[in-house]
């Protein structure tokens, strides 16, 4: 062998020997993670331990820690280190995200409720709340890490927020307990969480935020507060037969999952409430929510920028909810053709296009996207039924048309019971006769019956109502013209 060739081989060996420690370390990691066969793992591991012992021997502990921290901050190195830890770790993880595929994750809500309820004398971090006066204090656990044992198996829960603001619950357990965790433990947690939710459920009312205030994914679309309206079907003033019909329809819907599955229809129902102002349309919605224990989503169409935004808001609503569009005849110009409204100019003279079209609203009611959820009720209210496009309120979209009209004697008796605690009175006969000859809303009757001072008393309230009804009757006889009442005059009488 020539001297030149020998010198070349020696130089090659020297270059190999002078490879940086960092390069050798990364080479060992790569070989360990992606080696061609398992036989190389042992030698690569030995190389890693040798390099690590060398670092510990020649570098102080502080520099070692700084070096490790610096490496871990580099995304590619962090990813590799996580893979190594996962590869050798005997533990498994299950994550429950607040939203999944742009839809609310009910399992997350159940898990979070279950963990918050794990309150005992050993817990150090708690939070208390009392959203209403004269109610008991509600204590919840406020730990980011919660440990518990189930059938001898140790569980570790962690609650934290992701970078994009979504909340996350993560369960960590030993792989050997996989069957216990997935077989019975998670089912127990979810079912227990759901039962707690049902026991403590409070009806909430949501309003949609303008799209400019929306955050990533599903965050910021809706704002909510607790709904504390006391209306029930027992206290609502309307015709008794009509009330029973509505009540039966709602209960049949609530218990109708198998029926809707059998006939192949989405589990939803539409109600159109119409009638003069003050006849109880909003009160009816409140009574529906309190009966069904459904959340209310009050949809303000004028703040929605497009049909696409309308669909996104629909997807973000939960099951067991009532989606309400009040005064739909005033919300948007939806009475004509299914076309985009004419371009308007804002105060700055800039042109801006239509927000929501009739076609988009119809798709929202019973199109493909309307089936992206179950057990939903859609309620429209209007004071002027004749102004609405028939396509919007036809049967199948608005399944039940409910007219809430002027006060009947049956409705008056409910109001008398509510406000005066009266089941009967000698003046009821006179009031019944006058109600048949006049038109007065339940809201105006209720206002008249309210005892404003101790001197008025029950008799005084009933006599005040009779006096008001007689004035309305006289007004009708005096000012009746062209088949219309003089509503301005009648309103002045009621306010007196």
């Amino acid at each position: 062998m020539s001297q030149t060739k020998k010198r070349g081989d020696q130089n090659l060996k020297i270059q190999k020997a002078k490879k940086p420690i960092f390069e050798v370390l990364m080479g060992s990691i790569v070989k360990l993670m992606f080696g061609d066969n398992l036989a190389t793992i042992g030698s690569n591991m030995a190389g890693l331990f040798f390099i690590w012992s060398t670092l510990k021997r020649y570098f102080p502990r502080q520099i070692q820690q700084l070096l490790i921290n610096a490496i871990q901050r580099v995304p590619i190195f962090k990813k590799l280190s996580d893979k190594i830890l996962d590869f050798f770790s005997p533990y498994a993880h299950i994550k429950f995200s607040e939203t999944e595929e742009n839809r609310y994750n009910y399992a997350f809500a159940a898990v979070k409720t279950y963990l918050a309820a794990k309150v005992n004398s050993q817990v150090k971090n708690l939070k208390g709340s009392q959203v209403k006066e004269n109610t008991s204090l509600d204590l919840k656990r406020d730990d980011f890490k919660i440990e518990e044992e189930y059938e001898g198996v140790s569980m570790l829960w962690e609650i934290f927020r992701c970078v994009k603001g979504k909340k996350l619950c993560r369960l960590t357990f030993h792989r050997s307990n996989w069957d216990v965790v997935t077989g019975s433990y998670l089912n127990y947690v979810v079912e227990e969480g759901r039962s707690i939710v049902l026991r403590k459920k409070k009806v909430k009312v949501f309003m949609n935020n303008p799209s400019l205030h929306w955050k990533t994914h599903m965050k910021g679309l809706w704002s909510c507060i607790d709904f504390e309206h006391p209306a029930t079907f027992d206290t609502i003033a309307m015709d008794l037969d009509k009330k029973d019909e509505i009540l039966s329809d709602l209960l049949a819907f609530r218990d109708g999952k198998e029926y809707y599955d059998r006939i192949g229809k989405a589990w939803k129902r539409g109600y159109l409430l119409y009638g003069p102002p003050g006849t109880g349309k909003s009160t009816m919605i409140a009574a529906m929510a309190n009966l069904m224990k459904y959340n209310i989503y009050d949809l303000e169409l004028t703040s929605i920028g497009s049909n696409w935004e309308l669909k996104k808001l629909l997807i973000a609503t939960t099951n067991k909810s009532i989606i309400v569009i009040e005064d739909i005849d005033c919300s948007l110009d939806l009475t004509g053709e299914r076309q985009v409204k004419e371009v308007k100019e804002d105060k700055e003279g800039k042109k801006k296009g239509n927000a929501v079209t009739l076609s988009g609203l119809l798709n929202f009611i019973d199109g493909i996207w309307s089936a992206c959820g179950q057990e939903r009720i859609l309620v429209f209210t209007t004071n002027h039924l004749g102004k609405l496009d028939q396509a919007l309120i036809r049967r199948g979209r608005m399944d039940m048309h409910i007219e809430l009209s002027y006060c009947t004697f049956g409705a008056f008796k409910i109001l008398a019971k509510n406000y005066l605690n009266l089941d009967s009175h000698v003046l009821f006969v006179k009031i019944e006769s006058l109600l048949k000859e006049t038109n007065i809303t339940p809201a105006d009757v209720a206002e008249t019956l309210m005892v404003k001072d101790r001197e008025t008393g029950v008799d005084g309230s009933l006599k005040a109502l009779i006096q008001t009804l007689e004035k309305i009757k006289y007004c009708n006889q005096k000012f009746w013209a062209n088949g219309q009442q003089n509503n301005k005059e009648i309103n002045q009488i009621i306010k007196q």
Side-chain angles (χ1 to χ4, degrees):
M1 183 180 294
S2 63
Q3 295 294 325
T4 303
K5 186 175 181 180
K6 288 182 179 180
R7 284 195 298 271
D9 292 340
Q10 291 175 353
N11 290 336
L12 181 61
K13 292 179 180 179
I14 293 172
Q15 289 176 1
K16 289 182 177 179
K18 289 183 177 181
K19 279 187 177 182
I21 294 176
F22 178 75
E23 183 178 341
V24 176
L25 175 63
M26 291 308 302
S28 299
I29 293 174
V30 171
K31 286 182 180 179
L32 178 62
M33 295 300 299
F34 309 103
D36 295 331
N37 54 68
L38 295 176
T40 62
I41 292 179
S43 60
N44 288 330
M45 286 295 295
L48 281 172
F49 286 125
F50 172 75
I51 293 168
W52 178 244
S53 63
T54 303
L55 288 172
K56 290 176 67 177
R57 179 181 302 175
Y58 294 105
F59 292 95
R61 181 171 298 177
Q62 293 82 354
I63 297 179
Q64 294 175 27
Q65 191 61 45
L66 288 174
L67 181 61
I68 292 171
N69 292 339
I71 292 174
Q72 287 182 339
R73 287 174 183 171
V74 180
I76 187 172
F77 297 150
K78 186 178 185 306
K79 189 174 182 180
L80 286 171
S81 64
D82 289 343
K83 284 186 176 180
I84 292 173
L85 291 174
D86 288 341
F87 182 81
F88 290 104
S89 174
Y91 296 97
H93 308 283
I94 298 178
K95 297 179 181 178
F96 295 86
S97 180
E98 186 176 12
T99 58
E100 193 69 30
E101 297 179 352
N102 291 331
R103 298 180 66 182
Y104 188 72
N105 186 357
Y106 291 93
F108 167 83
V111 169
K112 194 168 183 297
T113 301
Y114 170 81
L115 295 176
K118 302 291 289 183
V119 175
N120 55 57
S121 59
Q122 305 301 318
V123 178
K124 296 181 179 180
N125 298 316
L126 296 167
K127 60 181 179 181
S129 62
Q130 189 178 33
V131 295
K132 294 180 66 176
E133 289 185 304
N134 302 322
T135 58
S136 60
L137 187 65
D138 186 21
L139 294 177
K140 295 182 179 179
R141 192 162 184 167
D142 194 29
D143 287 325
F144 295 105
K145 291 186 178 181
I146 299 174
E147 297 181 14
E148 73 166 340
E149 190 172 290
Y150 176 82
E151 294 185 358
V153 177
S154 297
M155 310 288 181
L156 173 63
W157 286 98
E158 296 173 276
I159 305 172
F160 50 89
R161 290 181 180 270
C162 298
V163 177
K164 294 183 179 179
K166 290 195 300 183
K167 296 178 183 177
L168 198 71
C169 294
R170 185 176 70 179
L171 172 64
T172 302
F173 59 95
H174 200 279
R175 294 176 188 268
S176 62
N177 299 312
W178 175 265
D179 291 339
V180 175
V181 173
T182 60
S184 61
Y185 176 66
L186 288 181
N187 288 333
Y188 162 74
V189 169
V190 171
E191 290 303 320
E192 184 67 17
R194 285 175 178 170
S195 65
I196 296 172
V197 169
L198 290 176
R199 290 198 302 268
K200 296 185 176 182
K201 183 175 182 180
K202 298 175 182 177
V203 177
K204 295 184 178 295
V205 57
F206 292 77
M207 64 178 179
N208 56 298
N209 297 321
S211 57
L212 293 176
H213 299 159
W214 291 1
K215 300 177 182 179
T216 57
H217 297 287
M218 310 303 290
K219 303 294 290 182
L221 275 68
W222 297 93
S223 299
C224 74
I225 60 172
D226 289 341
F227 185 69
E228 299 178 347
H229 199 295
T232 67
F233 274 86
D234 290 331
T235 61
I236 194 169
M238 64 180 300
D239 181 77
L240 296 179
D241 292 336
K242 186 179 294 184
K243 183 192 297 188
D244 290 341
E245 182 184 0
I246 298 168
L247 186 60
S248 298
D249 192 82
L250 286 167
L251 295 178
F253 170 79
R254 185 185 65 185
D255 302 328
K257 185 180 188 309
E258 293 183 1
Y259 170 76
Y260 281 89
D261 288 343
R262 179 166 56 83
I263 64 176
K265 287 188 64 176
W267 192 9
K268 62 182 181 63
R269 192 147 181 85
Y271 294 89
L272 175 66
L273 310 182
Y274 66 96
T279 52
K281 294 183 287 295
S282 297
T283 304
M284 172 62 72
I285 295 170
M288 286 180 172
N290 288 329
L291 170 72
M292 308 288 278
K293 298 299 181 184
Y294 287 3
N295 291 329
I296 298 175
Y297 287 84
D298 185 16
L299 190 62
E300 178 54 60
L301 292 178
T302 56
S303 66
I304 301 175
S306 65
N307 293 333
W308 176 85
E309 290 184 4
L310 183 63
K311 292 176 183 176
K312 196 171 181 68
L313 287 166
L314 173 64
I315 295 173
T317 61
T318 61
N319 296 340
K320 298 180 181 293
S321 61
I322 301 176
I323 302 171
V324 178
I325 303 178
E326 291 196 278
D327 297 322
I328 190 171
D329 53 297
C330 303
S331 297
L332 289 175
D333 183 14
L334 298 172
T335 58
E337 298 295 330
R338 303 182 196 183
Q339 298 176 353
V340 176
K341 290 190 299 183
E342 295 180 359
V343 174
K344 297 182 179 180
E345 292 187 358
D346 59 17
K347 295 180 180 179
E348 299 178 356
K350 297 180 181 179
K351 291 184 178 181
K352 58 180 182 180
N354 174 55
V356 177
T357 65
L358 177 57
S359 176
L361 189 59
L362 295 178
N363 191 23
F364 173 86
I365 298 170
D366 65 354
I368 295 175
W369 288 94
S370 68
C372 297
Q374 297 189 84
E375 207 170 348
R376 286 195 179 104
I377 292 175
L378 185 66
V379 178
F380 288 172
T381 72
T382 180
N383 297 333
H384 308 285
L385 182 62
K387 289 185 177 181
L388 298 180
D389 191 300
Q390 291 302 306
L392 186 66
I393 60 175
R394 69 164 175 80
R395 302 289 179 175
R397 289 191 172 121
M398 293 292 104
D399 302 286
M400 193 172 186
H401 293 192
I402 303 171
E403 182 181 9
L404 297 174
S405 189
Y406 295 105
C407 189
T408 63
F409 182 65
F412 160 76
K413 290 182 68 176
I414 296 173
L415 292 173
K417 180 65 175 178
N418 293 343
Y419 287 87
L420 305 176
N421 197 27
L422 283 179
D423 292 313
S424 62
H425 194 279
V426 67
L427 295 177
F428 277 16
V429 176
K430 179 67 172 178
I431 292 173
E432 181 179 11
S433 176
L434 287 170
L435 285 173
K436 292 178 180 179
E437 301 178 274
T438 57
N439 288 334
I440 185 171
T441 66
D444 290 328
V445 172
E447 182 64 25
T448 306
L449 290 179
M450 287 185 68
V451 178
K452 300 178 177 62
D453 53 66
R454 294 182 180 179
E455 295 180 359
T456 302
V458 171
D459 289 349
S461 295
L462 294 177
K463 289 177 181 179
L465 176 60
I466 291 174
Q467 186 178 14
T468 299
L469 291 173
E470 287 177 338
K471 288 181 179 180
I472 293 174
K473 179 181 177 181
Y474 172 77
C475 185
N476 288 341
Q477 295 172 346
K478 182 178 179 181
F479 296 101
W480 193 272
N482 300 323
Q484 292 184 345
Q485 293 175 321
N486 191 320
N487 292 323
K488 182 178 180 181
E489 185 76 15
I490 291 175
N491 288 335
Q492 290 178 350
I493 292 173
I494 294 172
K495 291 178 181 178
Q496 290 177 355

